[in-house]
Amino acid sequence: MTNVHLELDFAPQHRKLSMTSLGWLAAALLLFGLAITVVSLQLAENARQTHALAAQEGNTRTAPVKAVQPAPPHAGDLARAAFVRQTALDLATPWADLLTSLEAAPASVALLSVEPSANKRSIALTAEAATPAEMLLYLQALQSDKHLANVVLMTHQVQLQTPGKPLRFKLLANWGETP
């Protein structure tokens, strides 16, 4: 039987923007521009109505006009603004650094899921190891990584139904400054 060495590189070291990232960035900028346009149009309409009302009342004095209070934003505008903020947070996630950190950890651990939270600047990992020692080595490797902070073991459990009875565990880590 011939041994074949297969090397997969899922996260190249160079930082090249993908078309998907550029698409998300363009969509976020477009939505941000749309939100600004809607707000400026509402402010202009409010100012026009104020001047028209003053003219109808015969109050056309040249004294400075008090600052016009903007109309309360509509629910749709608030939802769009929240979507733009969330998209900007998602685009600011340092994926290359996070993936490099996960790949640098010992390979004896099987990573089952990666759940990032851009709002909390945290990442939850679910993994399996054959022994508790391998789990602790993986935890120590992530704790010593410069891109991750506050790496903690949340839960661990032996999978009795799975052949080999691996140890499934969940880690939580932060990146950057936590809010």
Side-chain angles (χ1 to χ4, degrees):
M1 180 170 274
T2 307
N3 287 338
V4 177
H5 179 71
L6 178 62
E7 185 174 330
L8 299 175
D9 186 11
F10 292 109
Q13 295 299 325
H14 63 285
R15 292 180 181 227
K16 185 177 180 182
L17 292 177
S18 68
M19 292 304 288
T20 305
S21 297
L22 290 174
W24 279 109
L25 179 61
L29 290 174
L30 180 67
L31 287 173
F32 183 69
L34 179 64
I36 288 175
T37 303
V38 167
V39 168
S40 64
L41 289 174
Q42 286 178 347
L43 288 174
E45 177 64 20
N46 194 4
R48 186 191 64 74
Q49 288 177 356
T50 301
H51 289 298
L53 183 60
Q56 278 182 348
E57 292 176 356
N59 188 4
T60 57
R61 61 182 182 206
T62 58
V65 178
K66 292 181 182 178
V68 177
Q69 292 291 331
H74 292 70
D77 294 337
L78 293 175
R80 273 184 261 172
F83 176 76
V84 168
R85 276 193 301 275
Q86 184 61 45
T87 302
L89 275 175
D90 290 341
L91 290 174
T93 302
W95 290 112
D97 293 340
L98 292 174
L99 292 175
T100 300
S101 298
L102 296 177
E103 288 178 348
S108 60
V109 171
L111 192 58
L112 302 177
S113 71
V114 177
E115 302 170 30
S117 173
N119 291 338
K120 296 177 183 177
R121 295 179 181 255
S122 68
I123 188 167
L125 306 172
T126 303
E128 282 187 354
T131 65
E134 288 177 352
M135 176 188 69
L136 292 175
L137 283 174
Y138 189 76
L139 177 64
Q140 289 171 345
L142 292 180
Q143 286 174 335
S144 65
D145 191 280
K146 65 181 180 178
H147 298 113
L148 298 174
N150 305 324
V151 181
V152 293
L153 177 64
M154 300 301 288
T155 63
H156 64 284
Q157 182 179 12
V158 176
Q159 300 297 305
L160 298 174
Q161 303 83 5
T162 307
K165 298 181 182 175
L167 184 64
R168 184 171 292 176
F169 58 97
K170 188 168 187 169
L171 302 173
L172 187 63
N174 294 53
W175 72 81
E177 295 180 17
T178 55

Short mmCIF file of all heavy atoms in Angstrom, two decimals, residues 33-78:
data_model
loop_
_atom_site.label_atom_id
_atom_site.label_comp_id
_atom_site.label_asym_id
_atom_site.label_seq_id
_atom_site.Cartn_x
_atom_site.Cartn_y
_atom_site.Cartn_z
N GLY A 33 -25.20 54.35 2.55
CA GLY A 33 -25.51 55.51 1.71
C GLY A 33 -27.01 55.72 1.59
O GLY A 33 -27.51 56.85 1.63
N LEU A 34 -27.75 54.62 1.46
CA LEU A 34 -29.21 54.70 1.37
C LEU A 34 -29.80 55.26 2.66
O LEU A 34 -30.69 56.12 2.62
CB LEU A 34 -29.79 53.31 1.09
CG LEU A 34 -31.31 53.22 1.00
CD1 LEU A 34 -31.82 54.03 -0.19
CD2 LEU A 34 -31.74 51.77 0.89
N ALA A 35 -29.30 54.82 3.80
CA ALA A 35 -29.80 55.33 5.08
C ALA A 35 -29.52 56.82 5.22
O ALA A 35 -30.38 57.58 5.66
CB ALA A 35 -29.16 54.55 6.24
N ILE A 36 -28.35 57.26 4.82
CA ILE A 36 -28.01 58.69 4.90
C ILE A 36 -28.90 59.50 3.97
O ILE A 36 -29.39 60.57 4.33
CB ILE A 36 -26.52 58.90 4.58
CG1 ILE A 36 -25.67 58.39 5.73
CG2 ILE A 36 -26.21 60.38 4.31
CD1 ILE A 36 -24.19 58.45 5.49
N THR A 37 -29.15 58.99 2.77
CA THR A 37 -30.00 59.68 1.81
C THR A 37 -31.42 59.81 2.35
O THR A 37 -32.03 60.89 2.26
CB THR A 37 -30.02 58.92 0.47
OG1 THR A 37 -28.67 58.81 0.00
CG2 THR A 37 -30.86 59.62 -0.56
N VAL A 38 -31.96 58.75 2.93
CA VAL A 38 -33.32 58.78 3.46
C VAL A 38 -33.43 59.81 4.59
O VAL A 38 -34.37 60.61 4.64
CB VAL A 38 -33.75 57.38 3.94
CG1 VAL A 38 -35.01 57.43 4.77
CG2 VAL A 38 -33.95 56.45 2.75
N VAL A 39 -32.46 59.83 5.48
CA VAL A 39 -32.49 60.77 6.60
C VAL A 39 -32.38 62.21 6.09
O VAL A 39 -33.10 63.10 6.53
CB VAL A 39 -31.37 60.45 7.61
CG1 VAL A 39 -31.19 61.57 8.63
CG2 VAL A 39 -31.68 59.14 8.33
N SER A 40 -31.48 62.46 5.12
CA SER A 40 -31.34 63.83 4.61
C SER A 40 -32.60 64.28 3.87
O SER A 40 -33.01 65.44 3.98
CB SER A 40 -30.11 63.94 3.71
OG SER A 40 -30.26 63.15 2.56
N LEU A 41 -33.25 63.38 3.14
CA LEU A 41 -34.50 63.73 2.47
C LEU A 41 -35.60 64.04 3.49
O LEU A 41 -36.39 64.98 3.28
CB LEU A 41 -34.95 62.60 1.53
CG LEU A 41 -34.11 62.41 0.26
CD1 LEU A 41 -34.58 61.18 -0.50
CD2 LEU A 41 -34.18 63.64 -0.62
N GLN A 42 -35.65 63.30 4.56
CA GLN A 42 -36.65 63.57 5.60
C GLN A 42 -36.39 64.91 6.28
O GLN A 42 -37.33 65.66 6.57
CB GLN A 42 -36.66 62.45 6.63
CG GLN A 42 -37.30 61.17 6.11
CD GLN A 42 -37.26 60.05 7.15
OE1 GLN A 42 -36.56 60.14 8.14
NE2 GLN A 42 -38.01 58.99 6.87
N LEU A 43 -35.14 65.23 6.53
CA LEU A 43 -34.81 66.52 7.13
C LEU A 43 -35.17 67.67 6.20
O LEU A 43 -35.70 68.70 6.64
CB LEU A 43 -33.32 66.58 7.49
CG LEU A 43 -32.90 65.73 8.69
CD1 LEU A 43 -31.38 65.77 8.85
CD2 LEU A 43 -33.58 66.19 9.95
N ALA A 44 -34.89 67.53 4.90
CA ALA A 44 -35.22 68.56 3.94
C ALA A 44 -36.73 68.76 3.84
O ALA A 44 -37.23 69.89 3.78
CB ALA A 44 -34.63 68.22 2.57
N GLU A 45 -37.48 67.66 3.84
CA GLU A 45 -38.95 67.75 3.78
C GLU A 45 -39.49 68.42 5.03
O GLU A 45 -40.40 69.25 4.95
CB GLU A 45 -39.54 66.34 3.62
CG GLU A 45 -41.06 66.30 3.61
CD GLU A 45 -41.68 67.04 2.43
OE1 GLU A 45 -41.00 67.28 1.42
OE2 GLU A 45 -42.88 67.38 2.53
N ASN A 46 -38.94 68.10 6.17
CA ASN A 46 -39.36 68.71 7.42
C ASN A 46 -39.10 70.22 7.40
O ASN A 46 -39.95 71.02 7.80
CB ASN A 46 -38.64 68.05 8.60
CG ASN A 46 -39.28 68.39 9.92
OD1 ASN A 46 -40.30 69.06 9.97
ND2 ASN A 46 -38.69 67.92 11.01
N ALA A 47 -37.94 70.64 6.91
CA ALA A 47 -37.61 72.06 6.82
C ALA A 47 -38.55 72.77 5.84
O ALA A 47 -39.01 73.89 6.10
CB ALA A 47 -36.16 72.24 6.40
N ARG A 48 -38.86 72.12 4.70
CA ARG A 48 -39.77 72.71 3.71
C ARG A 48 -41.16 72.91 4.32
O ARG A 48 -41.78 73.95 4.15
CB ARG A 48 -39.85 71.82 2.47
CG ARG A 48 -40.67 72.46 1.33
CD ARG A 48 -40.98 71.48 0.23
NE ARG A 48 -41.83 70.37 0.65
CZ ARG A 48 -43.15 70.47 0.89
NH1 ARG A 48 -43.76 71.62 0.78
NH2 ARG A 48 -43.85 69.41 1.23
N GLN A 49 -41.65 71.92 5.04
CA GLN A 49 -42.97 72.03 5.66
C GLN A 49 -43.00 73.12 6.74
O GLN A 49 -44.00 73.83 6.88
CB GLN A 49 -43.39 70.69 6.25
CG GLN A 49 -43.74 69.65 5.20
CD GLN A 49 -44.08 68.30 5.82
OE1 GLN A 49 -43.99 68.11 7.02
NE2 GLN A 49 -44.48 67.35 4.96
N THR A 50 -41.91 73.26 7.47
CA THR A 50 -41.83 74.30 8.49
C THR A 50 -41.90 75.68 7.86
O THR A 50 -42.62 76.57 8.33
CB THR A 50 -40.53 74.15 9.31
OG1 THR A 50 -40.52 72.86 9.91
CG2 THR A 50 -40.43 75.21 10.40
N HIS A 51 -41.17 75.88 6.77
CA HIS A 51 -41.19 77.17 6.07
C HIS A 51 -42.57 77.44 5.45
O HIS A 51 -43.07 78.57 5.49
CB HIS A 51 -40.10 77.22 4.99
CG HIS A 51 -38.73 77.33 5.57
ND1 HIS A 51 -38.32 78.39 6.33
CD2 HIS A 51 -37.66 76.49 5.47
CE1 HIS A 51 -37.06 78.20 6.69
NE2 HIS A 51 -36.64 77.06 6.19
N ALA A 52 -43.21 76.41 4.90
CA ALA A 52 -44.53 76.58 4.31
C ALA A 52 -45.55 76.94 5.38
O ALA A 52 -46.42 77.81 5.17
CB ALA A 52 -44.95 75.30 3.59
N LEU A 53 -45.47 76.34 6.53
CA LEU A 53 -46.38 76.63 7.63
C LEU A 53 -46.18 78.06 8.13
O LEU A 53 -47.14 78.79 8.39
CB LEU A 53 -46.18 75.63 8.76
CG LEU A 53 -47.11 75.75 9.96
CD1 LEU A 53 -48.56 75.56 9.51
CD2 LEU A 53 -46.75 74.73 11.02
N ALA A 54 -44.93 78.48 8.22
CA ALA A 54 -44.64 79.84 8.67
C ALA A 54 -45.17 80.86 7.66
O ALA A 54 -45.70 81.92 8.04
CB ALA A 54 -43.14 80.02 8.87
N ALA A 55 -45.07 80.56 6.38
CA ALA A 55 -45.57 81.47 5.34
C ALA A 55 -47.09 81.55 5.38
O ALA A 55 -47.67 82.61 5.16
CB ALA A 55 -45.10 81.00 3.97
N GLN A 56 -47.79 80.45 5.64
CA GLN A 56 -49.24 80.45 5.72
C GLN A 56 -49.74 81.29 6.90
O GLN A 56 -50.78 81.93 6.82
CB GLN A 56 -49.77 79.01 5.88
CG GLN A 56 -49.86 78.25 4.60
CD GLN A 56 -50.43 76.86 4.84
OE1 GLN A 56 -50.53 76.40 5.97
NE2 GLN A 56 -50.81 76.20 3.76
N GLU A 57 -49.03 81.28 7.96
CA GLU A 57 -49.44 82.02 9.14
C GLU A 57 -49.06 83.50 9.03
O GLU A 57 -49.37 84.28 9.92
CB GLU A 57 -48.80 81.41 10.39
CG GLU A 57 -49.33 80.04 10.72
CD GLU A 57 -48.60 79.41 11.91
OE1 GLU A 57 -47.65 80.01 12.44
OE2 GLU A 57 -49.01 78.31 12.31
N GLY A 58 -48.36 83.85 7.96
CA GLY A 58 -47.97 85.24 7.78
C GLY A 58 -46.76 85.60 8.63
O GLY A 58 -46.44 86.77 8.82
N ASN A 59 -46.11 84.61 9.12
CA ASN A 59 -44.96 84.83 9.99
C ASN A 59 -43.70 84.66 9.14
O ASN A 59 -43.02 83.65 9.21
CB ASN A 59 -45.00 83.83 11.14
CG ASN A 59 -43.94 84.11 12.18
OD1 ASN A 59 -43.22 85.11 12.08
ND2 ASN A 59 -43.84 83.23 13.16
N THR A 60 -43.38 85.67 8.33
CA THR A 60 -42.24 85.57 7.42
C THR A 60 -41.09 86.44 7.89
O THR A 60 -40.39 87.05 7.08
CB THR A 60 -42.67 85.99 5.99
OG1 THR A 60 -43.19 87.31 6.08
CG2 THR A 60 -43.66 85.02 5.41
N ARG A 61 -40.88 86.52 9.14
CA ARG A 61 -39.79 87.35 9.66
C ARG A 61 -38.45 86.75 9.25
O ARG A 61 -38.35 85.56 8.93
CB ARG A 61 -39.90 87.44 11.17
CG ARG A 61 -39.79 86.10 11.84
CD ARG A 61 -39.94 86.20 13.32
NE ARG A 61 -39.76 84.83 13.83
CZ ARG A 61 -40.26 84.39 14.92
NH1 ARG A 61 -40.99 85.20 15.66
NH2 ARG A 61 -40.06 83.17 15.31
N THR A 62 -37.44 87.56 9.29
CA THR A 62 -36.12 87.12 8.86
C THR A 62 -35.25 86.70 10.04
O THR A 62 -34.05 86.50 9.87
CB THR A 62 -35.41 88.25 8.08
OG1 THR A 62 -35.33 89.40 8.94
CG2 THR A 62 -36.14 88.56 6.81
N ALA A 63 -35.84 86.60 11.20
CA ALA A 63 -35.08 86.16 12.36
C ALA A 63 -34.65 84.71 12.16
O ALA A 63 -35.29 83.96 11.43
CB ALA A 63 -35.94 86.28 13.62
N PRO A 64 -33.57 84.35 12.81
CA PRO A 64 -33.09 82.97 12.64
C PRO A 64 -34.16 81.96 13.07
O PRO A 64 -34.86 82.16 14.06
CB PRO A 64 -31.87 82.88 13.56
CG PRO A 64 -31.66 84.22 14.17
CD PRO A 64 -32.75 85.12 13.72
N VAL A 65 -34.26 80.92 12.31
CA VAL A 65 -35.23 79.87 12.58
C VAL A 65 -34.63 78.92 13.62
O VAL A 65 -33.45 78.59 13.55
CB VAL A 65 -35.57 79.10 11.29
CG1 VAL A 65 -36.54 77.97 11.57
CG2 VAL A 65 -36.12 80.05 10.25
N LYS A 66 -35.44 78.53 14.58
CA LYS A 66 -34.98 77.58 15.59
C LYS A 66 -34.62 76.26 14.92
O LYS A 66 -35.16 75.92 13.86
CB LYS A 66 -36.05 77.34 16.63
CG LYS A 66 -36.34 78.54 17.50
CD LYS A 66 -37.40 78.18 18.52
CE LYS A 66 -37.73 79.40 19.36
NZ LYS A 66 -38.79 79.11 20.33
N ALA A 67 -33.73 75.55 15.55
CA ALA A 67 -33.32 74.25 15.01
C ALA A 67 -34.54 73.35 14.89
O ALA A 67 -35.35 73.25 15.82
CB ALA A 67 -32.28 73.60 15.91
N VAL A 68 -34.67 72.73 13.74
CA VAL A 68 -35.81 71.86 13.48
C VAL A 68 -35.49 70.48 14.03
O VAL A 68 -34.44 69.91 13.76
CB VAL A 68 -36.07 71.79 11.96
CG1 VAL A 68 -37.21 70.82 11.66
CG2 VAL A 68 -36.38 73.17 11.41
N GLN A 69 -36.41 69.97 14.81
CA GLN A 69 -36.24 68.63 15.35
C GLN A 69 -36.54 67.62 14.23
O GLN A 69 -37.58 67.70 13.59
CB GLN A 69 -37.20 68.39 16.51
CG GLN A 69 -36.90 69.21 17.74
CD GLN A 69 -35.62 68.77 18.41
OE1 GLN A 69 -35.22 67.63 18.33
NE2 GLN A 69 -34.95 69.72 19.05
N PRO A 70 -35.62 66.70 13.98
CA PRO A 70 -35.89 65.70 12.95
C PRO A 70 -37.04 64.80 13.35
O PRO A 70 -37.28 64.57 14.54
CB PRO A 70 -34.59 64.92 12.83
CG PRO A 70 -33.86 65.16 14.11
CD PRO A 70 -34.33 66.51 14.62
N ALA A 71 -37.75 64.34 12.35
CA ALA A 71 -38.86 63.42 12.61
C ALA A 71 -38.30 62.12 13.17
O ALA A 71 -37.19 61.72 12.82
CB ALA A 71 -39.62 63.15 11.32
N PRO A 72 -39.04 61.46 14.03
CA PRO A 72 -38.54 60.19 14.56
C PRO A 72 -38.37 59.19 13.41
O PRO A 72 -39.19 59.15 12.48
CB PRO A 72 -39.63 59.74 15.53
CG PRO A 72 -40.82 60.58 15.25
CD PRO A 72 -40.35 61.81 14.56
N PRO A 73 -37.30 58.42 13.45
CA PRO A 73 -37.06 57.48 12.35
C PRO A 73 -38.13 56.40 12.29
O PRO A 73 -38.69 56.02 13.32
CB PRO A 73 -35.69 56.89 12.67
CG PRO A 73 -35.46 57.17 14.11
CD PRO A 73 -36.29 58.35 14.47
N HIS A 74 -38.37 55.93 11.11
CA HIS A 74 -39.34 54.85 10.90
C HIS A 74 -38.70 53.52 11.29
O HIS A 74 -37.47 53.39 11.31
CB HIS A 74 -39.78 54.80 9.45
CG HIS A 74 -40.60 55.98 9.04
ND1 HIS A 74 -40.07 57.24 8.92
CD2 HIS A 74 -41.92 56.10 8.75
CE1 HIS A 74 -41.01 58.09 8.55
NE2 HIS A 74 -42.15 57.43 8.44
N ALA A 75 -39.52 52.54 11.56
CA ALA A 75 -39.02 51.22 11.96
C ALA A 75 -38.16 50.61 10.86
O ALA A 75 -37.16 49.96 11.13
CB ALA A 75 -40.19 50.30 12.30
N GLY A 76 -38.53 50.82 9.61
CA GLY A 76 -37.76 50.29 8.49
C GLY A 76 -36.37 50.90 8.43
O GLY A 76 -35.39 50.20 8.15
N ASP A 77 -36.26 52.21 8.72
CA ASP A 77 -34.96 52.87 8.72
C ASP A 77 -34.09 52.34 9.85
O ASP A 77 -32.88 52.13 9.68
CB ASP A 77 -35.13 54.39 8.88
CG ASP A 77 -35.83 55.01 7.68
OD1 ASP A 77 -35.80 54.40 6.60
OD2 ASP A 77 -36.41 56.10 7.85
N LEU A 78 -34.69 52.11 11.01
CA LEU A 78 -33.94 51.57 12.14
C LEU A 78 -33.44 50.16 11.84
O LEU A 78 -32.32 49.81 12.18
CB LEU A 78 -34.80 51.58 13.40
CG LEU A 78 -35.16 52.96 13.96
CD1 LEU A 78 -36.12 52.82 15.14
CD2 LEU A 78 -33.91 53.71 14.37
#
